[in-house]
């Protein structure tokens, strides 16, 4: 039965790839026929060639590495603060009273609106991009952690107390696992915002990374590299989502 | 059996509980012998759960005292375990680890006791499952195992079987009675079911207007035959007494039944 269902799954995922593959083939045919001009879109083969060319020179990986490390550092800093503050405000009512209104107010400012300010403060160096990514991922993690902690079944907490759990053991055995589904939703949401912020920030001002690669290629009219950059972003976004999904499957096995 | 322990003796005196300005329990007096099985009945909202929570140490009294084996209860009552209407199993722990929580951990010896209790409640084959797949009755069995695995001297049951179907309920009552006879703990059971009270209790206590209104000793031999006429009439009379205690109907209660003695005369 397990074998049958896994076969089924493979078939299912194959089906979902039919349309993308057909579209790419169609795109290639239309480009070869000259129906899509090279000025609008490069042909798929051209994009692949660009990928190979840039891989060989190592340029592609260097840019991917730059972007990824920016994304991760921003995530760790902003997400870490969001998580910590979510725990703090979720667990300690006094902290919530003091901080939550402020956080809710700041949430209404779109973080991308701060780009000019960030450039003024930090220049176009790493700090500006880190600041923006960290700010962007902070809110989803904060909000979902806070909400997750608040929505832990009070009956379970009371049960824990009857069984002598208190302080750290109560947190680790009941509150944290209870809040985990919500925290992971926050993480997935943050990952989306992380890439989006990075794309915008790197496109506007950067001297390395995928966004820089795209903008640089635009100046030299290298359409294939521009499209390649877009694909790289999509790929990295998808990869992050898959990792988050795996983490979810691991942490939330009990929900299946 | 060597597993027999002595239940706690509870001496409740003038117990009072207010929530804000609302007086829920005005003055509860109750004397519970070690190993006795008490059923507490009363209309919804009369403070039955509150009384159990006070004994468990989950609430603090606003007056009076609960003396357990000569010591006044303050803070969480370490001798007590509580079983609630919902099983309150941790969904992220395997059934056996939920039971092991009752002995405070997941070490080998804890798992061993947890496994033993699971066998006693008939859930051995579900030890490695997530609680999510259990039926309502199985969840309550697991909760019962968790409550009893530490050999508590006092078991507080707050309508633990209220959500189960009639057959499962009778099955669970027999299980609770069996484990109570084996282990010898003192038991306080809150229930809405007069038959359940008569089936299990040595004494049925009626809570009304914030105080113990009536105590009915049940001296039927165990195991109790539900089909007997005496059983049915006892259950019927307890039901009548609960229904009579509607706060609005202030008619004086006539207590003529010989086996019922009123506390206040
Ligand atoms: N923490 C609390 N704060 C304020 N009021 C409370 C609290 N806990 C219980 N009460 C009130 O105390 C009264 C008695 O509640 P309790 O839960 O003890 O009733 P009960 O007899 O168990 O009812 P039921 O049979 O429906 O379970 C109710 O009016 C309830 O609203
Ligand atoms: Mg209740």
């Amino acid at each position: 039965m397990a074998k049958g269902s896994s076969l089924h799954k493979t078939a299912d995922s194959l089906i979902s790839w039919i349309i993308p593959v057909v579209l790419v083939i169609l795109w290639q045919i239309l480009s070869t026929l000259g129906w899509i001009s090279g000025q609008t879109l490069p042909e798929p083969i051209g994009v692949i060639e660009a990928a190979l060319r840039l891989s060989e020179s190592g340029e592609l990986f260097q840019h991917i590495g730059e972007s990824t490390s920016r994304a991760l550092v921003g995530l760790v800093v902003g997400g870490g603060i969001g998580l910590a503050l979510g725990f703090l405000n979720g667990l300690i009512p006094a902290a919530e009273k003091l901080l939550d209104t402020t956080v809710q107010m700041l949430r209404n400012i779109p973080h991308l609106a701060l780009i000019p300010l960030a450039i003024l403060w930090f220049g176009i160096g790493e700090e500006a991009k880190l600041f923006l990514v960290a700010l962007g991922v902070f809110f989803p993690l904060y909000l979902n952690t806070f909400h997750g902690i608040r929505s832990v079944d009070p009956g379970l907490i009371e049960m824990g107390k009857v069984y002598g759990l208190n302080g750290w053991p109560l947190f680790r055995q009941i509150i944290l696992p209870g809040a985990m589904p919500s925290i992971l939703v926050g993480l997935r949401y943050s990952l989306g915002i992380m890439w989006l912020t990075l794309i915008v920030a790197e496109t506007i001002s950067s001297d390395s990374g995928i966004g820089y690669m795209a903008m640089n290629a635009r100046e030299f009219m290298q359409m294939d590299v521009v499209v390649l950059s877009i694909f790289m972003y999509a790929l990295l976004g998808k990869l992050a989502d898959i990792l988050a999904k795996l983490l979810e499957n691991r942490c939330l096995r009990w929900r299946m | 059996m060597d597993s027999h322990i002595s239940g706690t003796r509870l001496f409740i005196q003038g117990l009072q509980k207010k929530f804000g300005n609302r007086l829920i329990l005005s003055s509860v007096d109750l004397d519970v012998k070690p190993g006795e099985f008490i059923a507490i009945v009363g209309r919804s909202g009369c403070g039955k759960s509150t009384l159990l929570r006070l004994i468990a140490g989950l609430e603090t009294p606003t007056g009076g005292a609960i003396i357990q084996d000569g010591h006044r209860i303050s803070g969480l009552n370490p001798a007590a375990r509580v079983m609630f209407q919902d099983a309150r199993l941790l969904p992220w722990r395997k059934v056996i680890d939920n039971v092991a929580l009752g002995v405070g951990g997941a070490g080998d010896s804890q798992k061993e006791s947890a496994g033993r209790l699971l066998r006693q409640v008939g859930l051995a084959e579900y030890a490695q499952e997530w609680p999510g797949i259990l039926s309502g009755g199985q969840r309550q069995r697991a909760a019962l195992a968790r409550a009893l695995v530490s050999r508590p001297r006092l078991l507080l049951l707050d309508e633990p079987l209220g959500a189960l179907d009639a057959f499962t309920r009778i099955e669970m009552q027999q299980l609770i009675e069996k484990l109570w006879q084996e282990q010898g703990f003192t038991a306080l059971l809150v229930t809405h079911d007069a038959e359940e009270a008569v089936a299990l209790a040595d004494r049925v206590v009626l809570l009304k207007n914030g105080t113990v209104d009536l105590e009915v000793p049940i001296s039927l031999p165990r195991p109790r035959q539900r089909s007997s006429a005496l059983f049915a009439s006892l259950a019927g009379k307890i039901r009548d007494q609960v229904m009579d205690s509607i706060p609005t109907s202030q008619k004086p209660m006539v207590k003529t039944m010989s086996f019922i003695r009123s506390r206040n005369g």
Side-chain angles (χ1 to χ4, degrees):
Chain A
M1 198 196 131
K3 204 175 170 194
S5 80
S6 84
L7 259 178
H8 208 87
K9 260 190 192 154
T10 333
D12 265 2
S13 60
L14 280 182
I15 287 175
S16 60
W17 281 101
I18 291 178
I19 292 180
V21 168
V22 167
L23 280 179
V24 170
I25 292 173
L26 206 66
W27 171 18
Q28 178 63 49
I29 293 171
L30 292 180
S31 300
T32 316
L33 293 176
W35 290 17
I36 297 179
S37 98
Q39 310 272 282
T40 318
L41 265 185
E43 47 180 341
I45 302 257
V47 176
I48 294 170
E49 277 168 5
L52 292 175
R53 194 174 67 237
L54 292 176
S55 304
E56 260 165 42
S57 69
E59 215 177 316
L60 183 63
F61 299 117
Q62 186 203 327
H63 288 306
I64 289 178
E66 292 275 353
S67 292
T68 307
S69 79
R70 263 175 208 151
L72 289 183
V73 174
L75 177 70
V76 168
V77 172
I81 297 175
L83 204 62
L85 211 58
F87 283 138
L88 188 72
N89 287 0
L91 294 170
I92 304 170
E96 187 212 344
K97 273 215 185 82
L98 182 69
L99 297 169
D100 194 58
T101 311
T102 315
V103 176
Q104 296 295 343
M105 267 163 54
L106 291 177
R107 187 167 74 105
N108 290 319
I109 305 172
H111 68 293
L112 292 178
L114 295 182
I115 288 179
L117 205 55
I119 294 177
L120 280 177
W121 285 346
F122 303 109
I124 67 158
E126 288 307 295
E127 294 90 342
K129 285 175 282 283
L130 282 185
F131 170 75
L132 288 168
V133 172
L135 197 64
V137 300
F138 166 82
F139 288 104
L141 262 166
Y142 167 74
L143 292 171
N144 284 286
T145 305
F146 178 71
H147 173 258
I149 292 213
R150 281 306 164 88
S151 54
V152 175
D153 181 356
L156 290 183
I157 295 177
E158 189 181 76
M159 183 279 298
K161 286 190 177 149
V162 170
Y163 285 91
L165 295 183
N166 235 315
W168 172 246
L170 184 71
F171 176 77
R172 195 178 59 78
Q173 297 185 42
I174 297 184
I175 297 175
L176 184 60
M180 199 45 101
S182 182
I183 294 176
L184 289 175
V185 167
L187 178 65
R188 276 183 89 178
Y189 206 80
S190 285
L191 289 174
I193 292 192
M194 174 184 84
W195 287 119
L196 185 75
T197 310
L198 200 68
I199 292 168
V200 175
E202 283 188 345
T203 306
I204 290 174
S205 76
S206 200
D207 47 17
S208 64
I210 301 170
Y212 166 78
M213 187 171 84
M215 289 316 280
N216 201 36
R218 181 193 59 102
E219 274 183 33
F220 297 102
M221 296 296 281
Q222 295 170 311
M223 279 301 273
D224 48 359
V225 178
V226 171
V227 172
L228 176 67
S229 308
I230 296 171
F231 271 121
M232 279 343 306
Y233 273 132
L235 208 68
L236 288 173
K238 183 75 194 163
L239 201 67
D241 205 52
I242 289 173
L243 288 178
K245 190 88 197 147
L246 283 177
L247 191 68
E248 228 166 78
N249 287 346
R250 236 198 91 66
C251 291
L252 306 181
R253 268 170 306 182
W254 50 275
R255 292 225 293 196
M256 300 198 249
Chain B
M1 266 197 125
D2 63 325
S3 56
H4 217 81
I5 44 112
S6 66
T8 60
R9 186 197 160 123
L10 280 179
F11 191 54
I12 301 171
Q13 224 178 6
L15 187 67
Q16 188 209 55
K17 181 65 187 177
K18 279 185 187 171
F19 286 112
N21 281 329
R22 276 186 315 140
L23 187 61
I24 305 299
L25 298 177
S26 53
S27 174
V28 173
D29 297 295
L30 192 64
D31 192 352
V32 184
K33 290 190 283 291
E36 197 177 10
F37 203 126
I38 302 277
I40 301 167
V41 296
R43 296 184 70 83
S44 181
C46 72
K48 303 181 296 294
S49 298
T50 305
L51 176 59
L52 281 204
R53 294 170 56 78
L54 284 163
I55 297 171
L58 289 167
E59 304 272 4
T60 15
T62 47
I66 303 169
I67 318 281
Q68 179 172 269
D69 300 326
H71 301 287
R72 195 191 175 111
I73 293 177
S74 69
L76 215 60
N77 183 347
R81 287 292 185 245
V82 190
M83 222 181 130
F84 304 94
Q85 179 166 3
D86 45 337
R88 304 197 183 175
L89 301 174
L90 299 177
W92 46 84
R93 282 194 174 199
K94 296 275 171 70
V95 171
I96 188 149
D97 295 322
N98 263 286
V99 176
L101 184 74
V103 267
D108 282 347
S109 71
Q110 281 103 328
K111 285 225 175 172
E112 206 182 297
S113 343
R116 193 169 52 242
L117 253 293
L118 274 179
R119 274 196 299 283
Q120 278 184 289
V121 300
L123 276 184
E125 57 191 303
Y126 289 91
Q128 295 302 330
E129 301 285 355
W130 301 112
I133 69 148
L134 299 183
S135 72
Q138 289 169 332
R139 279 174 208 201
Q140 286 302 48
R141 280 167 190 267
L144 182 64
R146 179 182 62 192
L148 293 182
V149 68
S150 64
R151 314 216 146 261
R153 300 177 56 224
L154 175 63
L155 182 63
L156 305 170
L157 304 121
D158 193 355
E159 294 180 50
L161 313 181
L164 304 181
D165 67 86
F167 298 113
T168 314
R169 201 181 303 171
I170 291 177
E171 214 173 69
M172 282 293 288
Q173 287 163 7
Q174 288 165 349
L175 180 64
I176 291 173
E177 187 180 34
K178 186 189 101 183
L179 292 170
W180 168 69
Q181 285 171 331
E182 278 174 18
Q183 297 201 359
F185 50 81
T186 304
L188 265 69
L189 166 76
V190 167
T191 179
H192 276 145
D193 179 353
E195 264 91 25
E196 183 168 292
V198 176
L200 290 174
D202 296 320
R203 188 154 43 120
V204 180
V205 169
L206 171 64
L207 214 57
K208 178 197 162 190
N209 293 338
T211 174
V212 173
D213 191 57
L214 197 68
E215 294 185 21
V216 187
I218 312 282
S219 50
L220 297 173
R222 298 172 191 265
R224 291 176 175 162
Q225 301 301 321
R226 282 156 207 269
S227 50
S228 81
L230 196 50
F231 187 102
S233 86
L234 271 170
K237 274 154 193 163
I238 283 168
R239 205 176 298 119
D240 290 345
Q241 289 297 333
V242 174
M243 297 312 287
D244 261 347
S245 58
I246 307 166
T248 46
S249 76
Q250 291 296 351
K251 61 182 175 190
M253 231 188 289
V254 197
K255 287 148 192 165
T256 50
M257 290 162 287
S258 60
F259 49 80
I260 291 180
R261 67 184 156 87
S262 169
R263 207 159 234 288
N264 311 325

